[in-house]
Each structure stands twice: as C-alpha cells, then as structure tokens.
Amino acid sequence: MKLLTQNDLPLHEGTAVAIGLFDGIHAGHTTLIHDIECQAGLKSLVYTFDTKPNHAAYKNIYTAGEKVSIFASMNVDMLYEQPFTKEFSQLTKEAFLQRIVKDMCAKHITVGFDFRFGRNAEGTAGYLQEQAGRFGYTVYVVPAIKSGAEKVSSTLIRGYIEHGEMERTASLLRRFYFIDGKIEKGRHLGSSIGFPTANISTDKLLPRYGVYATIVQIDGKCYPAVTNVGVKPTVSDAGVPNVETFIFNFSGDVYNERMRVNFVSFLRGERPFPNVAALQKQIAQDAHLAQEMLRDLEVYKEYILW
C-alpha cells in the first residue's frame, strides 16, 4: 500500500475513493473498502483525516499508525491522510469535492449514508450523487449496517470499549481491539511480586479500567497474557493510566520493542487492595483464569491482525 503525501498530488491514474474518518474501521467501513476494490480498472484509495473535527478531548479508537496497518491488511492500493487544518475546515462542499476529483483523480466515490463534509458539514452523500454527472464520477452510498437492532457505528463500538465489552467489540470490528506501543521501563513492581510486566502507554481510547485476558504480539509471535488497564491504585498514587501486561511463559529483554495487546475478554474491574500480598494473590487468580481461557490460541486467530 502506498502512503500518499501532498507531493504525490495530483494523481494521474483513475481511482475509486472511499472517504471517511474511519475511526474504528468496523464492519460498515469494510463495506466501503470492498466497494472500491471491486471497481475494475481503478486503483483503490482511502481518503481519511488525521483527527476528529472540533473534538479536542476526543480519543481515537485507532491511532494513525494502527489505521495504516489495518488498511494495508485489507489490500488497499493507496492511503491519503488529510491534515485537518483550520484552512481545510473552511472549504466549501464544492471546493472539497473538486479536490477529491482533481487531486485524487476520482472516477468512483463511496461514502457512508451519514457522511458529511465541507464547511459547517454542509456537504452530504446526496450532494455527491447530485454532482456525479457534472464531475464525471460514479457514486455508491453505503446504507446503515445493523448488528441485531443496533446500527454499527464508531459511537456504538466506543461504548462497548469503554464498558469493557471486548467480545462485542471484536464482533463489530471483526478483529480484537488492540493497543500498539513501545515497551517502557517501569518501576519493576511486578517483578518484585513475581509477575514481571511489559508496560506501554498510549493517547488512544482505553478500555474500561480493569484486568483482561489478552493476546500479545511481539516480533511476529503471539503469546497469551493478562493485562491491567488503569492507574494501579494499590501501588501508585500518580493517577496516570497505562497498559501493564504479564506475558505467560515468556522471558527475555523486550524493553523498547514494539508490542501489540489484543483485548480478548474482561475479567474484573480495577480496585484497590488492602496490601501488596492481597494484590499478589488476586493477580495469581487473574493469571490462572486468563491462562485457562487462552489455552488454545488457534481458536482466536481470525480475530488477530497480522
């Protein structure tokens, strides 16, 4: 997959373009990707944005780097991430569309039914359809995708993540929710009580604070693990959340290595313990439960992104 920059524009080969924020890259987004990949004679191109407009406190479901790895796994030909600058936010709907047609050489455009664009979100999927003849492209508007009675959306998935409902999250994403990061040096508190951990921090959306059965990926290999997300109230008063993982049957120096933590199932909420001994006993119980759950990693392979 080619990562486009401003220096690559304008393109000179016809493209089928899927446009959207793609926060979550869920089942509905997969339909958009499938559509652009089915357009004969056109290169598939995803046009997305580097942030959610007007939401300073917004936590992304996926980071920009994670989105790249997901789109690459879906065999998209090209990806362009539009910086959401003040200047860009003031483009009229017509000016935005002209950019897509001219810079991206769009011959086919696909969007979700609720896609909005341009200054004050004045552009709609209907507007794209109205202008198709004028600009010489075809359009496909993806209708709402349902999961039972609920519309699949990033908002729905965000709620599942925030409540620790990882099985439901995986069913809508069609992959485990994961967090990527570089393993950091900690205070070695885990090692001191018999559970050495690999720690990563992130600015993206965190699952509900608590303990999870997880599958970690390091250097192309998968390992069962148990992960705590939160602020570790028993042993720390810093109040800074992180992702701390005890990897089963693993040894070696992995500091500064990249690690992906796939969240399989919520085990319990984070809570303070009266002393370290009580915490140690609980961690042992959590680890045993997670090990039993993850005894056969083969059954989880289809939900792991490589």
Side-chain angles (χ1 to χ4, degrees):
M1 182 179 72
K2 180 177 176 59
L3 301 180
L4 300 175
T5 69
Q6 190 65 36
N7 293 333
D8 296 306
L9 306 179
L11 301 177
H12 301 290
E13 187 174 6
T15 64
V17 186
I19 312 174
L21 181 63
F22 294 101
D23 186 24
I25 316 181
H26 52 63
H29 296 143
T30 301
T31 304
L32 273 73
I33 303 303
H34 178 71
D35 178 66
I36 62 173
E37 292 180 335
C38 289
Q39 304 304 314
L42 300 178
K43 292 289 187 180
S44 59
L45 190 159
V46 170
Y47 184 102
T48 188
F49 311 93
D50 67 353
T51 187
K52 186 172 178 66
N54 303 321
H55 286 66
Y58 186 89
K59 296 290 186 181
N60 292 312
I61 293 177
Y62 289 123
T63 66
E66 290 168 352
K67 283 184 178 182
V68 168
S69 67
I70 295 171
F71 286 129
S73 75
M74 300 170 81
N75 299 314
V76 171
D77 292 321
M78 294 179 284
L79 173 66
Y80 182 77
E81 186 179 74
Q82 171 65 53
F84 203 89
T85 62
K86 183 176 181 180
E87 177 188 5
F88 178 78
S89 72
Q90 296 304 306
L91 288 180
T92 65
K93 60 184 180 182
E94 182 168 358
F96 174 85
L97 179 54
Q98 287 175 338
R99 282 198 180 191
I100 297 297
V101 172
K102 294 180 180 179
D103 285 353
M104 303 300 154
C105 199
K107 303 301 181 185
H108 177 80
I109 298 174
T110 181
V111 295
F113 72 99
D114 55 353
F115 177 65
R116 304 299 293 262
F117 61 95
R119 185 177 56 209
N120 300 320
E122 59 191 4
T124 65
Y127 177 76
L128 289 177
Q129 292 172 315
E130 292 168 4
Q131 299 299 311
R134 174 186 172 192
F135 288 102
Y137 58 79
T138 55
V139 184
Y140 176 58
V141 178
V142 176
I145 305 296
K146 294 290 190 71
S147 174
E150 296 181 294
K151 177 175 71 73
V152 176
S153 67
S154 297
T155 299
L156 177 64
I157 292 168
R158 182 178 301 280
Y160 285 157
I161 294 169
E162 291 175 336
H163 287 90
E165 298 182 60
M166 308 319 298
E167 290 87 352
R168 286 187 170 183
T169 299
S171 71
L172 298 187
L173 294 178
R174 297 178 179 171
R175 72 188 75 86
F176 289 126
Y177 183 63
F178 64 80
I179 292 176
D180 285 346
K182 183 180 288 188
I183 299 173
E184 306 165 344
K185 282 190 177 292
R187 296 167 57 194
H188 303 289
L189 294 174
S191 297
S192 69
I193 59 175
F195 298 98
T197 57
N199 302 279
I200 59 177
S201 56
T202 182
D203 290 330
K204 66 179 284 187
L205 180 68
L206 289 175
R208 172 186 173 184
Y209 286 2
V211 178
Y212 295 82
T214 56
I215 298 172
V216 302
Q217 293 164 270
I218 300 175
D219 197 24
K221 295 181 180 179
C222 284
Y223 303 91
V226 63
T227 297
N228 184 81
V229 176
V231 295
K232 299 178 290 188
T234 305
V235 296
S236 175
D237 58 4
V240 179
N242 79 335
V243 179
E244 186 173 17
T245 300
F246 172 55
I247 309 170
F248 306 135
N249 305 318
F250 181 87
S251 61
D253 184 359
V254 290
Y255 291 123
N256 291 320
E257 293 285 337
R258 300 292 301 180
M259 179 172 72
R260 172 170 293 169
V261 181
N262 296 280
F263 290 86
V264 178
S265 188
F266 178 80
L267 301 181
R268 66 170 176 86
E270 186 178 56
R271 64 180 187 271
F273 291 87
N275 51 56
V276 173
L279 172 62
Q280 184 179 26
K281 181 179 178 181
Q282 182 62 58
I283 293 175
Q285 293 174 0
D286 297 336
H288 176 73
L289 182 58
Q291 277 185 305
E292 289 298 307
M293 183 178 296
L294 303 172
R295 186 175 296 276
D296 182 8
L297 295 187
E298 286 294 317
V299 302
Y300 299 106
K301 267 194 170 181
E302 66 177 296
Y303 289 99
I304 296 175
L305 181 70
W306 293 95

